[in-house]
Amino acid sequence: MSIAARIYSLLGDCERRRLFMEQKDRRAQSLLNLMQELLDDASLDLGEFRSPITTALVQLSRNSALCPERLIIKDMAIKTSLPVAYGRYGDIYQGEFGGRLVAVKMMRGCAYDTDEAARLVKAFTKEAVQWAQLSSPFLLPFYDVYAMTTPADRLCLISPWMKNGNLMQYVNKAPQADRVYLLSDIAWGLNCLHSFDPPVIHGDLKGPNSLITDDHRACVADFGLCILAQNSAIQITMTNSSNDRGTFYWMAPELINDEEECVCKNCAMDVYAFGCVCYEAG
């Protein structure tokens, strides 16, 4: 039996799956490295195993607050002393890596050994691992994770620097821009997420989370609230708190009215948010 098949079989058993997801430190790191290597190997046809392995990779990363070592870089320079933009879990700085400008999403500082610090680390590692699995011209590319040690220990997510800013900044500066053209790019990005195996629900689509490339095309960004839809034979629970339901003005009515903490998001909620983006850009 192949390694992928063994992992699939293990995840199919409730008790063994629970033990798998509770791994920490070196054991969790080895499992994360193995699963990422399987997903990266283009020579492997994982077939039905790809979806549950991807889901298991994301959840184990979140539970253990670790990333596959392939995603981590050692050295990078932060060029700005103040953030140039702000996100839900981190602030955006300009950096330089490999001779090119990059955007650095830096985890916000908070007191160590607190529940908030642990939550932020888990949110960052989950976002990094999930984002790293996605690839499309209509999605913001993911480069690496940088573990900053000075002046403080913080995780950073590295992506290309988009000098044209987000959708709303761009259309305000260039009112002649073809909004339909840009919105079609965002629609393609959303389609790429929903066509992924397993489907990815963005969860926070809005104008400020759509960036404009150097080629004046739009791409979907900010995957901090993304979740994997549960369409695989092996179900792994992924819940979101009431604070992780997106941004109010772009939220589907069922999200606003749902008083339960466990929210079952679906692709239709992203489509509703896309309609709001169309209205926003108009």
Side-chain angles (χ1 to χ4, degrees), residues 72-75 145-150 152-156:
I72 300 173
I73 59 172
K74 301 295 184 182
D75 299 305
V145 176
Y146 173 57
M148 188 177 72
T149 56
T150 56
D153 292 336
R154 295 182 193 174
L155 290 178
C156 303

Side-chain angles (χ1 to χ4, degrees), residues 18-225:
R18 182 186 65 80
L19 293 173
F20 185 95
M21 292 302 167
E22 290 178 353
Q23 297 302 305
K24 304 293 182 184
D25 303 322
R26 292 179 62 183
R27 288 187 176 183
Q29 188 67 72
S30 296
L31 290 170
L32 291 168
N33 291 345
L34 174 60
M35 288 189 287
Q36 187 65 66
E37 185 176 345
L38 290 172
L39 294 171
D40 288 343
D41 192 339
S43 67
L44 294 178
D45 181 11
L46 295 180
E48 63 176 332
F49 305 141
R50 178 170 293 277
S51 177
I53 289 176
T54 301
T55 305
L57 173 68
V58 172
Q59 184 167 6
L60 180 58
S61 177
R62 184 187 64 178
N63 292 351
S64 64
L66 295 170
C67 294
E69 291 177 309
R70 179 188 72 75
L71 306 181
I72 300 173
I73 59 172
K74 301 295 184 182
D75 299 305
M76 194 200 60
I78 307 292
K79 296 181 66 68
T80 53
S81 58
L82 296 175
V84 297
Y86 300 90
R88 183 178 296 264
Y89 296 121
D91 302 322
I92 312 301
Y93 293 78
Q94 187 182 74
E96 185 174 354
F97 176 68
R100 57 186 171 184
L101 291 178
V102 293
V104 181
K105 184 176 182 180
M106 184 186 301
M107 189 179 82
R108 289 197 184 96
C110 55
Y112 292 107
D113 300 323
T114 64
D115 291 342
E116 178 64 13
R119 188 181 75 86
L120 279 176
V121 171
K122 289 182 177 183
F124 256 61
T125 52
K126 176 237 178 187
E127 179 178 358
V129 171
Q130 194 158 271
W131 187 4
Q133 313 313 312
L134 305 171
S135 178
S136 165
F138 305 105
L139 302 176
L140 180 68
F142 173 82
Y143 284 165
D144 295 287
V145 176
Y146 173 57
M148 188 177 72
T149 56
T150 56
D153 292 336
R154 295 182 193 174
L155 290 178
C156 303
L157 309 185
I158 313 303
S159 60
W161 179 257
M162 296 295 180
K163 64 183 181 183
N164 291 318
N166 64 49
L167 174 67
M168 302 317 301
Q169 291 170 333
Y170 183 72
V171 297
N172 287 333
K173 289 187 297 185
Q176 76 283 0
D178 189 334
R179 287 165 168 76
V180 174
Y181 186 68
L182 297 173
L183 290 168
S184 68
D185 288 343
I186 297 171
W188 276 112
L190 206 55
N191 180 69
C192 292
L193 292 177
H194 294 173
S195 301
F196 189 71
D197 185 18
V200 176
I201 300 162
H202 188 280
D204 197 22
L205 186 69
K206 54 186 177 182
N209 285 346
S210 304
L211 303 182
I212 306 300
T213 70
D214 291 350
D215 296 329
H216 305 282
R217 304 296 298 266
C219 63
V220 176
D222 198 340
F223 303 100
L225 294 189

